Amino acid sequence: MTQTEASGSSVRNLPWLIWVVVIFGSISSAGFGFDQAWWASLMSSPHHWGRGLVTLELSLEFSADRLSMSCSEEKKALWIQTVIVTIGIIIESTCKASYAQFIVGKLIVYLGGGIATSIIPAYQGECAPTSLRGLMSGTYNAFLMIGGLVAALIVYLCRQISSDWAWRVVVVAQIAIPVAGWVSLPFLPESPHWLVSRGRLDEAVVALRRLRGPFFPAEAEVVALQQHFQRQRERLASATWAVCFTDPVNRRRTLICVGAQIFQQAQGISFVANYQAVFLQQIGFKEVLLMSVVVYVIGVVANLISMVTTDMLGRRNVLMCSALFLGACMFIIGGLTAGGPTDMSYTMQVTAVVMLMLWFFAFQVTWGPLTWVLTAEVPPSQVREKTVALSGMGAYVTGLVIVFVNPYTQADIGGQVAFVYGALSIVSFVFAWFFIPEMRQRTLEQIDEMFQDGLATRSFKSHICRSPGETAVKEESDEFVENA
């Protein structure tokens, strides 16, 4: 049996619980996407209170990371997250005349979204079988798009309402997401990695069988995980925030995770997602609210495609090739708009819009979800949650700078701001070439081994690991079933 056949067979034989983790494990990210989508236009406003809100949100992101790290269990953190978001939505939706009340509710919702960013990639990466890790980790970004699509659609449908229900309907509708979290969380298992690291080996065996199937050799997998954690015990004992940077191996892995998140944002996703309405108005395009819905439809479709292709095509080459393509799209947009809206023909306007949509599709197939896949598989087991939190901070701070700077830059140079993002895509290609290895179909333990051995970036793909891969475990499981 080839590795591809074994992988396909293992996916078909996985129990229903793994798909519950795929869908409902990511449900909180839909709330974050929903919240960002309907709030984006207000956040991009140049009003003075917007700057103060930006500062508060930055401090809340730090608070969210610290709160999620202080929880002893990932599921417990998700429970806390749903409670926080529910409270924030209730405060927002019951606001009548107090603007301060509305802002407090909004910030509480944002705090819940920050916790989701810190928890979901680590949890799904640890629950995922190797053959599905790309799909499962990519669902975080897919649900961001789904949440954004629902929000954009509600805003579009409510555009004719003259009362305050034009915005209140959107806020009230958001309550459905934490409700879905409340319903689904009892069915989500604890991470087997987390259970083994706490010495709860019998529970880890049960969790693995629930996630992989009744015939999976869970005892052997737990023994392998236990041995791995024993080898890492001294390192785990010193798992401080500083270790993410002082240890050379951890520093390399932190650089990959944080760098990937920074370049995901730096290539222009905030410009396309948050300021595409302004751009479309600048070039004379109408129906910008409808186009916001179209953008999120494209994002959802692209992420669904990525969930199928990620584990087939891998990470490294896809990120490099797509960075060049994204850069080319931005350079074309910048060139079309260089003369200003008065010099643009109808054909040039249509071409600019098509290139913008093509950019968004390509981004959501590649850098959008793949960055979260890297965030799930690259962090070392010693400081996994801390590295994931730092990665989320890298993305947020970069996005924050763009959200704050882009309106002024775009007001000055219009669509030529695309040249800046195109240049940053070229830098992203260089980053991927030198730093991002290929980790497709590797277990988390094998990834730890390759980083510990100090392999060159381009050597990961062909390296033969000492740690057994999931294919070997699958063959052992098949032999067990046949003998039974």
Side-chain angles (χ1 to χ4, degrees), residues 205-283:
V205 169
V206 173
L208 275 169
R209 289 214 170 102
R210 292 182 66 199
L211 290 166
R212 305 289 194 273
F215 300 113
F216 183 80
E219 290 86 354
E221 179 75 6
V222 167
V223 169
L225 285 173
Q226 187 181 23
Q227 292 173 345
H228 174 74
F229 280 113
Q230 286 175 346
R231 290 192 297 268
Q232 299 286 331
R233 181 165 297 172
E234 291 185 5
R235 297 169 60 83
L236 288 169
S238 59
T240 63
W241 287 93
V243 173
C244 295
F245 303 98
T246 57
D247 183 283
V249 176
N250 290 349
R251 183 166 58 244
R252 179 187 181 187
R253 299 172 80 165
T254 301
L255 173 65
I256 293 172
C257 290
V258 176
Q261 290 281 1
I262 288 174
F263 284 112
Q264 181 204 53
Q265 295 293 316
Q267 293 184 73
I269 184 58
S270 290
F271 164 65
V272 178
N274 297 335
Y275 298 109
Q276 50 93 11
V278 176
F279 170 77
L280 293 174
Q281 288 175 335
Q282 286 178 334
I283 66 174

Side-chain angles (χ1 to χ4, degrees), residues 110-128:
Y110 197 88
L111 174 63
I115 296 174
T117 300
S118 301
I119 292 296
I120 293 173
Y123 172 70
Q124 292 196 319
E126 292 178 357
C127 288

Side-chain angles (χ1 to χ4, degrees), residues 239-394:
T240 63
W241 287 93
V243 173
C244 295
F245 303 98
T246 57
D247 183 283
V249 176
N250 290 349
R251 183 166 58 244
R252 179 187 181 187
R253 299 172 80 165
T254 301
L255 173 65
I256 293 172
C257 290
V258 176
Q261 290 281 1
I262 288 174
F263 284 112
Q264 181 204 53
Q265 295 293 316
Q267 293 184 73
I269 184 58
S270 290
F271 164 65
V272 178
N274 297 335
Y275 298 109
Q276 50 93 11
V278 176
F279 170 77
L280 293 174
Q281 288 175 335
Q282 286 178 334
I283 66 174
F285 196 85
K286 297 180 175 61
E287 292 291 343
V288 292
L289 282 180
L290 178 60
M291 187 54 64
S292 296
V293 177
V294 173
V295 164
Y296 278 105
V297 169
I298 292 173
V300 171
V301 172
N303 274 271
L304 292 176
I305 293 173
S306 176
M307 291 168 66
V308 176
T309 60
T310 296
D311 290 308
M312 296 171 54
L313 302 178
R315 290 80 163 124
R316 175 179 165 81
N317 290 334
V318 172
L319 289 173
M320 289 192 299
C321 294
S322 60
L324 294 177
F325 181 81
L326 294 172
C329 289
M330 282 296 182
F331 286 136
I332 293 173
I333 292 171
L336 289 169
T337 58
T342 57
D343 292 337
M344 292 185 67
S345 65
Y346 176 75
T347 301
M348 293 172 68
Q349 290 177 346
V350 171
T351 303
V353 173
V354 169
M355 294 308 300
L356 196 70
M357 299 302 104
L358 189 58
W359 185 97
F360 193 73
F361 177 83
F363 180 88
Q364 294 299 339
V365 171
T366 57
W367 278 87
L370 280 178
T371 298
W372 293 107
V373 174
L374 293 177
T375 302
E377 61 190 10
V378 172
S381 55
Q382 176 193 14
V383 284
R384 184 178 304 281
E385 292 84 1
K386 293 178 174 63
T387 307
V388 171
L390 289 170
S391 301
M393 276 302 303

Side-chain angles (χ1 to χ4, degrees), residues 102-242:
F102 178 80
I103 294 300
V104 168
K106 173 68 180 67
L107 292 174
I108 292 175
V109 172
Y110 197 88
L111 174 63
I115 296 174
T117 300
S118 301
I119 292 296
I120 293 173
Y123 172 70
Q124 292 196 319
E126 292 178 357
C127 288
T130 304
S131 56
L132 276 184
R133 193 170 61 241
L135 183 152
M136 290 182 64
S137 302
T139 57
Y140 180 90
N141 198 73
F143 273 82
L144 280 175
M145 290 295 102
I146 292 172
L149 171 61
V150 174
L153 185 60
I154 293 175
V155 170
Y156 178 74
L157 294 175
C158 295
R159 68 191 186 281
Q160 303 296 340
I161 298 177
S162 57
S163 68
D164 62 358
W165 279 101
W167 63 265
R168 201 182 299 274
V169 167
V170 185
V171 178
V172 173
Q174 193 175 358
I175 196 70
I177 296 173
V179 168
W182 280 101
V183 172
S184 63
L185 276 171
F187 298 97
L188 296 179
E190 297 286 1
S191 158
H193 282 71
W194 183 84
L195 291 170
V196 173
S197 70
R198 298 304 189 275
R200 295 160 60 175
L201 305 184
D202 292 340
E203 294 176 61
V205 169
V206 173
L208 275 169
R209 289 214 170 102
R210 292 182 66 199
L211 290 166
R212 305 289 194 273
F215 300 113
F216 183 80
E219 290 86 354
E221 179 75 6
V222 167
V223 169
L225 285 173
Q226 187 181 23
Q227 292 173 345
H228 174 74
F229 280 113
Q230 286 175 346
R231 290 192 297 268
Q232 299 286 331
R233 181 165 297 172
E234 291 185 5
R235 297 169 60 83
L236 288 169
S238 59
T240 63
W241 287 93

